[in-house]
Amino acid sequence: MGGTHSSLPSVPEVEVPLYDLCVGKDICTIESYVRNCVDVNKMEGDLKETALQAAVRNSEYDFVKILLSHPDIDPNAESYYRNTPLLEACRLNNREIVRLLLSHPKVDMNYLSPLGSACDAGHVELVKELLELDGIDVNSENFKTPFYASVLRKRVEIVKLLLNDERVDVNHLHDGKESALHRVCGYHSDFEMLNILLSSDRIDVNVPSGPEHLGDSGHTPLHIAIRNNHLHIVERLLSEPEIDLNKTNSVDQTPFEQALRNYDNSFVCALLKHPKLTMDVERLSLFLRYSTDKELVVLLCGALEIPAEELYKYNETMLLTYVNKTTKKSAKAP
């Protein structure tokens, strides 16, 4: 083999990317070019990537194998667009090249979360294979954890796999702000995924959001569902045995107190039916005093067992009505 190589050409002294130079060549020629290359990790081409990254992207197994044999190869080289060979192989679901890369002693199996890439792309069998690896970090982040990415992309089978893996932090706050459960209860509501998450006893149904999420922090998923006017999600959360209706956020507001500020009294009615709800007249007094929603005030006072004839004592609008009626009666009196 060595004698054969000596007669083969070295890399031409022209600005041609190593990968492009080797396209269409036989294995021996490629081996010679790679062996004689001055910088095997040089970023080249429009994508500013190494020859190894280009070979992986184009599923060139033999070329990948030759490049990995070079003593100076950096198998973790990151392209201009934050891509690595292993990340790309996982995205493409090329399991043969994934295994080849993982066999290299320099490969970092957790750098930029190749597992997250496979989860995001929905490659179930590859995810199973990666989860079996010793040293795999199941919570490694590349903008998103594998679990959060799977929930976001609605990869149902992968979500179930990860829920059953005790190593996975299923309550992790993405970007320090929201959990996967917050996400499915929020603006982009997903009732099917909500049911899948709540089927696991590892999900914290009362997990508080992180700093500056929606302007403040400490929102539970119930806070989020109410804030986003998702009544069906609120009702589903209320069916959970561990739900805490009295947990406050960073501005000392319970889910019920947030519901009072919605324009739809259906949320208040749903919460009032729950046996765990506790209400404090003192906490609600300010709202009761200034609310102009008579229907809601009557509803609340009924729940607080305040007699109807005493409503005017708690609400300014009703107080004015009471005063006006009393004044008119006095004026009519002989």
Side-chain angles (χ1 to χ4, degrees):
M1 183 72 98
T4 305
H5 282 171
S6 62
S7 61
L8 291 172
S10 60
V11 178
E13 295 181 4
V14 291
E15 288 298 320
V16 179
L18 179 60
Y19 176 79
D20 291 344
L21 189 67
C22 295
V23 170
K25 303 294 192 299
D26 61 84
I27 295 298
C28 290
T29 302
I30 293 173
E31 286 179 335
S32 177
Y33 281 156
V34 170
R35 187 180 70 252
N36 293 297
C37 182
V38 175
D39 183 4
V40 74
N41 300 307
K42 185 178 180 181
M43 296 290 176
E44 301 174 303
D46 294 338
L47 297 177
K48 294 182 175 60
E49 61 187 359
T50 65
L52 179 58
Q53 289 164 334
V56 170
R57 179 168 51 80
N58 288 282
S59 300
E60 299 277 4
Y61 182 90
D62 290 332
F63 193 6
V64 170
K65 190 173 182 179
I66 292 168
L67 287 164
L68 287 174
S69 69
H70 195 288
D72 297 328
I73 193 70
D74 180 2
N76 304 305
E78 184 181 340
S79 72
Y80 179 80
Y81 296 100
R82 297 202 79 227
N83 207 5
T84 67
L86 184 55
L87 206 65
E88 182 68 3
C90 287
R91 184 184 71 82
L92 295 172
N93 198 28
N94 194 323
R95 292 164 68 188
E96 284 191 344
I97 289 183
V98 168
R99 294 182 194 121
L100 182 59
L101 289 165
L102 287 170
S103 69
H104 196 281
K106 292 182 183 178
V107 164
D108 183 346
M109 69 175 70
N110 296 310
Y111 183 55
L112 296 181
S113 189
L115 174 61
S117 179
C119 289
D120 187 79
H123 303 316
V124 179
E125 294 306 315
L126 176 57
V127 170
K128 289 179 181 178
E129 195 169 326
L130 292 173
L131 288 173
E132 293 295 323
L133 295 173
D134 289 334
I136 193 73
D137 181 356
V138 297
N139 299 304
S140 60
E141 287 187 79
N142 181 13
F143 300 111
K144 302 181 285 289
T145 64
F147 182 69
Y148 187 87
S150 302
V151 171
L152 197 65
R153 298 279 284 172
K154 302 183 180 182
R155 307 301 188 189
V156 172
E157 194 170 344
I158 294 175
V159 170
K160 290 178 179 178
L161 267 177
L162 298 177
L163 280 171
N164 290 323
D165 191 320
E166 294 291 333
R167 298 170 298 173
V168 177
D169 182 358
V170 296
N171 300 302
H172 175 80
L173 297 183
H174 168 63
D175 202 23
K177 294 181 179 179
E178 64 172 9
S179 69
L181 184 59
H182 283 108
R183 181 74 183 188
V184 301
C185 292
Y187 182 73
H188 298 288
S189 64
D190 186 338
F191 197 71
E192 179 190 6
M193 189 58 71
L194 173 66
N195 282 320
I196 292 169
L197 295 183
L198 293 180
S199 69
S200 170
D201 58 8
R202 299 205 303 124
I203 289 288
D204 181 358
V205 72
N206 301 304
V207 59
S209 64
E212 297 183 5
H213 181 53
L214 301 177
D216 37 66
S217 62
H219 299 291
T220 65
L222 185 56
H223 278 101
I224 297 297
I226 293 169
R227 185 166 183 158
N228 285 278
N229 294 306
H230 298 317
L231 183 59
H232 62 304
I233 287 182
V234 168
E235 291 171 338
R236 177 64 183 86
L237 289 170
L238 290 175
S239 70
E240 285 297 299
E242 301 301 319
I243 194 72
D244 185 351
L245 278 71
N246 306 301
K247 193 167 185 176
T248 58
N249 57 20
S250 63
V251 292
D252 197 33
Q253 189 179 74
T254 66
F256 183 71
E257 289 160 355
Q258 183 167 315
L260 291 174
R261 288 157 177 79
N262 275 25
Y263 292 105
D264 186 348
N265 290 342
S266 301
F267 292 88
V268 174
C269 291
L271 292 164
L272 282 173
K273 294 175 186 175
H274 201 282
K276 287 186 178 180
L277 179 67
T278 59
M279 292 190 296
D280 186 332
V281 178
E282 288 187 15
R283 284 186 67 93
L284 297 173
S285 60
L286 192 64
F287 177 84
L288 277 171
R289 180 167 295 279
Y290 295 109
S291 176
T292 57
D293 187 336
K294 291 183 180 180
E295 180 187 343
L296 183 56
V297 170
V298 170
L299 194 66
L300 265 181
C301 287
L304 291 166
E305 299 182 349
I306 296 172
E309 61 272 16
E310 295 184 17
L311 291 182
Y312 71 90
K313 295 179 182 179
Y314 296 90
N315 182 261
E316 288 201 350
T317 302
M318 292 186 176
L319 175 60
L320 288 172
T321 303
Y322 175 80
V323 170
N324 287 336
K325 284 182 179 179
T326 305
T327 304
K328 287 178 181 178
K329 283 182 181 179
S330 299
K332 288 180 181 179

